């Protein structure tokens, strides 16, 4: 009997775990190979890599040629991307397409998509120094411009800066793009070194889900892996944790009308799954939607903010509260957030509130199976967390979770940092 | 009332069509393969529907009234909408656009109760002076958040430059000033005018029983009859301000070029065709496969923020091109040059676009929410199911070329710049 993980069948392909889940209900499929490296000073080179790889291959020498090829595959999406997952930097190499069985002439969509992915990753346009100078300079400038433009998106800018301040000195403070200074300091060889580093030292795992053929899927991954250099994966470090300390604060000012208040709470590290069940319920009770304390108390009852929500970052052990409000209300918002968090920690919530939080989480989990893309993402997240459970198994755990488990999950939660992006002037905003 | 069943042209999946005795059209895609179900109620009422005549006479609403009304319909204290949907694990939301307001939910269980509540929410206006006043601060916060976005400001600056009198020139949510003039009486009058079965549609997808959906829709108490026709002014003349420039505290300049329709189409089917052909034209120029786009990038004139969209519905239509730029004047000049040249399009280009569209169509069948929204859009326009797919397949090269000649004329263009240094 095949080994399984999170409802996927597992086999090893050239030493890389490959997890597959065929779904006869689907008409699309997704195949992804992930490679993980530590989030560190090389982040800028790693983050720039996807943009450079998409500038062309030996066969398709520019972006329009690559795009035309994907459009001919019925709008398939093929290519690399990067993401920050906890304190790791992940290269994601994916094929996302409609299965040939549902298209005129029944084309081999998986084979064609996997071949294109192989060319993108393993046959980039390079000269002796790395990516061609003109291409490198153009894409580096564009990446730097995009980071500068982040200041114009007040919500995204505040989120990035709040993390940088809250986690200063920890790898998690590094933004996914690596930072403006690091981008500007890149040399032409750095992205190619990052590519080889991902492919040789990266911890790899691959997934496929959806309308997949009965045979030959692993062979496609095998062809991709065979085209790569020899691998010697290096294990990742566990995330940095910090001991409780007095609340730290940071305030930045810019021209805006709606201020952004971000509170970062820390949670003690644990692998006890039932504690994480409690934590997820606690986060949902606090700020998981219109039924939550923050929405009802901060927005609806006291009209202090337009939005107020809470989210859990399990990889790093952070609970983040994001609020958009008038700066004059920021102190009252913070006070109310803390009051609500303390009340929930003390178990002061109605049974109905718990049932609503439970129903919301169950509702989300119940629909993961509807989409191969969502199911694959769920399995990948489970792999990165090292938790072998299907959505249905998680649902059973949430169904049986108790009030005490919420209280236990939230025990030890402490406020570490408060960040405010406020207005330079009372009027604020872009010039009228 | 019996159903008519229509099958999609690719996979043969069924959509069930009916109309309630009170005149609410509905479309149901029963799909047992999903756990999730989605329901969408759409009204042909949006931010541009400011002027109308009802029994009390001609009336013009303050800007932002449709969006304000959308906020208020969730405030039914009797049914505590958010609590009830939340307890069932459902996700409920609403959105207002230029020409329609949409209410929707998704859920994995207790679909019938959720649909009953959604239909109840839109079938009554629970509006008092007190709850209208309470909501004003929240909406003002929302508007201030949007106004902090340079892209939002540049977009509405462009619409203001293109349109002299049509209300599409105003932000969908209005302004902090305009919502200050919205009263309970105003909202109730607009509700009575536009929230009617003949101005609405219901679309549902997921593991549902069409007969049950119809029974629930029959029980809904939404007022019967057609909407009162809006009286938005035709605004097809030369743009009042060929250029609008603003300086602000932005990290990067924004430059937008707009081109407005000089003729309006009342027939939704013809409007759909115009919409599709325009989107193909813009894709050929500015899509990922376009050599034009690549040349602009390579020359440093544009970057990946470059976008091209077509914004159109009842009574208005315009193409919007542009993005961030180091040299916004150069970007605008380049965009003007692109649209002035005959578009290079061959049959293999259209074949590629058709393939991409077919792939997108099949992907759309993979998610109940996109299925429900697609059918709601067509139902709202009174179009037969799968009209988009069938008309896309029929687009010709000559139609694309003719569209360029018709739309992209210098006298219909305006530009908006948002420059650093405010």
């Amino acid at each position: 009997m095949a080994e399984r993980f999170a409802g996927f069948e597992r086999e090893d392909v050239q030493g890389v775990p490959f997890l597959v889940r065929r779904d006869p209900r689907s008409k699309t499929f997704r195949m992804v190979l992930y490679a993980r490296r530590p989030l560190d000073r090389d982040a800028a080179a790693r983050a720039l890599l996807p943009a450079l790889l998409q500038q062309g291959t030996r066969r398709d020498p520019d972006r329009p040629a690559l795009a035309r090829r994907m459009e001919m595959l019925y709008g398939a999406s093929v290519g690399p991307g990067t993401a920050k997952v906890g304190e790791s930097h992940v290269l994601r190499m994916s094929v996302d397409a409609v299965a040939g069985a549902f298209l005129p002439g029944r084309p081999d969509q998986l084979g064609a998509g996997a071949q294109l992915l192989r060319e993108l990753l393993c046959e980039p346009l390079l000269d002796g120094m790395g990516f061609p100078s003109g291409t490198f300079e153009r894409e580096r400038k564009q990446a730097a411009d995009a980071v500068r433009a982040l200041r114009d998106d007040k919500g995204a800018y505040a989120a990035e800066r709040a993390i940088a301040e809250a986690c200063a000195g920890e790898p998690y403070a590094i933004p996914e793009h690596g930072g403006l200074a690091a981008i500007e300091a890149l040399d032409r060889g750095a992205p190619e070194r990052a590519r080889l580093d991902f492919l040789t030292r990266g911890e790899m795992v691959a997934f496929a889900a959806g309308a997949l053929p009965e045979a030959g899927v692993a062979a496609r991954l095998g062809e991709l892996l065979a085209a790569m250099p020899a691998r010697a994966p290096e294990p990742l470090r566990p995330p940095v944790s910090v001991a409780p300390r007095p609340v730290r604060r940071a305030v930045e000012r810019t021209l805006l009308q709606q201020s952004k208040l971000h509170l970062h709470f820390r949670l003690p590290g644990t692998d006890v799954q039932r504690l994480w069940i409690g934590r997820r319920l606690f986060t949902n009770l606090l700020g998981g939607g219109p039924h939550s304390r923050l929405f009802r108390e901060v927005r609806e009852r006291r009209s202090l903010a337009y939005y107020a929500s809470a989210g859990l970052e399990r990889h790093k052990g952070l609970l983040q509260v994001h609020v958009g409000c008038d700066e004059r209300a920021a102190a009252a918002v913070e006070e109310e957030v803390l009051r609500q968090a303390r009340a929930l920690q003390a178990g002061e919530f109605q049974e109905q509130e718990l049932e609503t939080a439970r129903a919301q989480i169950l509702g989300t989990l119940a629909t993961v199976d509807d989409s191969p893309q969502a199911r694959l993402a769920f399995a990948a997240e489970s792999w990165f967390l090292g938790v072998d459970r299907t959505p249905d198994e998680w649902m059973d755990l949430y169904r049986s979770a108790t009030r005490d488990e919420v209280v236990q999950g939230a025990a030890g939660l402490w406020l570490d940092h408060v960040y405010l992006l406020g207005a330079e002037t009372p009027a604020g905003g872009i010039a009228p | 009332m019996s159903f008519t069943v229509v099958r999609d042209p690719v996979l043969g999946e069924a959509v069930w069509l009916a109309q309630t005795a009170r005149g609410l059209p509905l479309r149901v895609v029963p799909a047992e393969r999903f756990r999730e179900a989605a329901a969408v109620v759409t009204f042909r009422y949006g931010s541009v529907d400011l002027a109308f005549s009802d029994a009390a006479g001609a009336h013009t609403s303050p800007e932002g009234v449709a969006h304000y009304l959308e906020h208020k319909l969730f405030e039914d204290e009797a049914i505590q909408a958010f609590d009830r949907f939340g307890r069932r694990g459902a996700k409920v939301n609403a959105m207002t656009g230029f020409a329609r307001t949409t209410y929707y939910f998704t859920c994995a269980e207790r679909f019938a109760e959720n649909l009953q509540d959604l239909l109840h929410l839109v079938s009554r206006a629970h509006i008092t002076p007190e709850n209208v006043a309470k909501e004003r601060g929240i909406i003002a916060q929302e508007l201030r958040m949007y106004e902090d976005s340079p892209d939002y400001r540049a977009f509405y600056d462009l619409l203001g430059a293109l349109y002299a009198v049509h209300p599409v020139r105003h932000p969908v949510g209005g302004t902090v000033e305009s919502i200050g003039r919205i009263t309970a009486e105003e909202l109730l009058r607009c509700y009575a005018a536009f929230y009617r079965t003949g101005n609405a549609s219901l679309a549902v997808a997921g593991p549902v029983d069409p007969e049950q959906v119809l029974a629930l829709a029959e029980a809904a108490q939404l007022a019967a009859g057609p909407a009162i026709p809006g009286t938005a002014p035709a605004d097809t003349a030369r743009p009042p301000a060929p250029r609008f420039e603003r300086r602000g505290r932005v990290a990067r300049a924004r430059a937008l070029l707009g081109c407005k329709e000089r003729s309006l189409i009342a027939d939704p089917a013809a409007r759909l065709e115009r919409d599709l052909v325009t989107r193909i034209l813009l894709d050929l120029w500015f899509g990922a496969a376009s050599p034009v786009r690549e040349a602009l990038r390579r020359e440093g004139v544009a970057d990946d923020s470059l976008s091209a969209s077509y914004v159109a519905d009842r009574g208005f239509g315009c193409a919007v091109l542009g993005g961030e730029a180091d040299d916004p004047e150069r970007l605008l000049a380049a965009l003007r040059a692109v649209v002035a040249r005959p578009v290079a399009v061959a049959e293999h280009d259209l074949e590629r676009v058709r393939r991409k569209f077919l792939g997108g169509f099949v992907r759309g069948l993979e998610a109940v929410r996109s299925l429900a929204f697609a059918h709601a859009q067509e139902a709202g326009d009174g179009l037969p199911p799968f009209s988009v797919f069938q008309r896309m397949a029929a687009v010709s090269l000559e139609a694309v070329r003719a569209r360029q000649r018709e739309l992209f004329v210098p006298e219909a263009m305006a530009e908006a710049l948002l420059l650093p240094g405010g």
Side-chain angles (χ1 to χ4, degrees), chain A residues 27-229:
Chain A
K27 293 155 187 75
T28 61
F29 68 85
R30 179 168 172 79
M31 185 165 88
V32 188
L33 173 64
Y34 295 95
R36 297 173 81 195
R37 294 291 290 144
L39 187 65
D40 58 20
R41 61 185 180 183
D42 291 332
R46 293 190 178 113
L48 187 60
L49 181 60
L52 289 165
L53 291 173
Q54 290 171 81
Q55 299 309 307
T57 64
R58 285 178 225 159
R59 176 173 160 183
D60 297 294
D62 58 30
R63 291 205 331 172
L66 285 167
R68 283 195 293 273
R69 205 160 145 201
M70 287 184 233
E71 289 181 358
M72 288 303 282
L73 294 175
Y74 295 88
S77 174
V78 183
T82 53
K84 173 178 167 179
V85 177
E87 289 183 349
S88 68
H89 210 161
V90 178
L91 176 67
R92 183 186 61 245
M93 301 155 269
S94 61
V95 181
D96 212 330
V98 176
F102 304 100
L103 294 167
R106 302 176 68 85
D108 177 10
Q109 291 276 98
L110 176 63
Q115 183 182 329
L116 176 52
L117 185 61
R118 191 169 72 238
E119 291 166 25
L120 278 162
L121 280 173
C122 303
E123 299 170 19
L125 280 177
L126 299 170
D127 60 23
M129 302 284 288
F131 288 90
S133 176
T135 305
F136 168 73
E137 293 298 342
R138 187 179 67 237
E139 297 308 316
R140 181 175 64 164
K141 177 185 180 305
Q142 174 141 192
D145 285 344
V147 173
R148 287 188 193 97
L150 191 67
R151 277 195 91 94
D152 292 338
D153 181 343
K154 304 295 187 291
Y157 176 76
E160 186 176 294
R161 290 290 306 130
I163 288 284
E165 293 286 344
C167 300
E170 304 166 51
Y172 197 69
I174 300 170
E176 201 278 321
H177 52 69
L180 187 57
I183 294 169
E184 289 180 331
L186 284 175
D187 67 82
R188 184 153 78 90
E192 171 57 3
R193 291 195 297 275
R195 184 182 76 93
L196 294 171
D197 180 70
F198 263 130
L199 300 185
T200 57
R201 296 194 188 87
E203 271 195 356
M204 286 190 179
V205 61
F207 296 83
L212 296 161
E214 279 305 314
V217 181
R220 297 304 186 192
L221 176 64
E223 288 160 12
L224 175 60
L225 293 171
M228 293 180 182

Side-chain angles (χ1 to χ4, degrees), chain A residues 25 28 63 71-72 75 139 141-142 152 257-258 352 356 360 364 366 370 392 424 431-432, chain B residues 11 33 35-36 87 90-91 141-142 147-148 246 249 251 254 297 304 326 352 355-356 363 366:
Chain A
R25 303 170 304 163
T28 61
R63 291 205 331 172
E71 289 181 358
M72 288 303 282
E139 297 308 316
K141 177 185 180 305
Q142 174 141 192
D152 292 338
Q257 296 199 59
Q258 187 193 68
Q352 191 60 66
T356 301
Q360 287 293 309
T364 302
D370 279 355
D392 283 346
E424 272 180 4
Chain B
L11 301 172
R33 66 182 182 280
R35 283 186 178 181
E36 187 175 45
R87 283 201 290 272
K91 295 180 174 50
Q141 274 288 336
E142 182 180 356
E147 287 171 4
D148 281 335
R246 180 200 297 269
R249 186 73 66 84
R254 268 71 171 173
R297 278 186 92 251
D304 282 338
D326 292 338
R352 217 178 55 240
R355 282 194 181 206
K356 184 166 68 167
R363 283 167 199 265
E366 291 274 80

Side-chain angles (χ1 to χ4, degrees), chain B residues 106-362:
Chain B
T106 56
C107 67
E109 54 184 33
R110 299 171 72 182
F111 168 79
E113 292 163 78
N114 288 322
L115 181 58
Q116 201 168 19
D117 277 353
L118 187 72
L119 291 168
H120 179 86
L121 274 181
V122 299
S123 297
R124 293 175 39 200
H126 341 277
I127 291 168
T128 64
E130 292 74 28
N131 69 24
V132 170
K134 177 175 166 290
E135 195 72 9
R136 206 182 315 279
I138 289 173
I139 297 176
Q141 274 288 336
E142 182 180 356
L143 298 180
R144 289 192 182 103
M145 182 176 75
Y146 297 148
E147 287 171 4
D148 281 335
S149 160
D151 296 318
Y152 173 94
R153 298 299 289 258
F155 178 66
Y156 282 108
D157 284 347
L158 180 69
L159 292 181
L162 285 168
Y163 291 94
V165 291
H166 194 278
V168 73
R169 69 198 305 277
H170 303 300
V172 166
T175 62
V176 173
E177 183 279 319
S178 73
I179 64 166
R181 290 183 277 122
I182 294 175
T183 62
E185 294 73 30
E186 175 69 42
L187 293 171
L188 287 165
R189 188 173 183 178
C190 293
Y191 178 82
F194 293 103
Y195 278 66
R196 310 180 75 87
T197 58
N199 198 42
S201 61
L202 167 65
V204 170
V208 298
D209 172 8
E211 298 288 356
Q212 184 190 37
V213 173
L214 177 57
L216 291 166
E218 290 285 10
Q221 294 301 305
L222 185 62
I228 289 176
T231 53
D235 188 342
T236 52
R238 182 184 282 265
R243 181 181 171 96
F244 184 93
E245 191 175 310
R246 180 200 297 269
R247 286 192 178 271
R249 186 73 66 84
V250 292
R252 299 205 74 215
R254 268 71 171 173
L256 296 178
L257 176 67
C259 198
K260 73 191 275 193
E261 296 286 2
R262 292 170 302 146
S263 65
L264 298 176
I265 296 178
D267 173 38
R271 209 167 56 233
L272 171 64
E273 190 155 332
R274 177 190 260 191
D275 188 291
L276 289 171
V277 176
T278 309
R279 288 174 198 280
I280 290 173
L281 174 62
L282 294 177
D283 187 73
L284 290 167
W285 271 332
F286 302 109
S290 162
V292 173
R293 181 189 182 94
E294 183 65 2
L296 293 175
R297 278 186 92 251
R298 285 179 182 247
E299 290 158 15
V301 178
D303 59 22
D304 282 338
S305 69
L306 177 63
S307 70
S309 59
Y310 183 58
V311 183
D313 211 306
R314 289 176 280 115
F316 65 91
C318 59
V320 178
L321 321 173
E324 298 167 14
D326 292 338
D327 184 343
E329 300 290 358
R330 193 172 165 219
L331 173 59
L332 288 172
L335 293 173
R336 282 182 181 274
V338 169
V339 301
R341 288 194 301 267
V343 61
V345 56
E347 186 51 47
H348 61 82
D349 295 313
L350 273 189
E351 170 60 16
R352 217 178 55 240
V353 173
R354 285 191 200 107
R355 282 194 181 206
K356 184 166 68 167
F357 189 82
L358 174 58
F361 181 85
V362 176

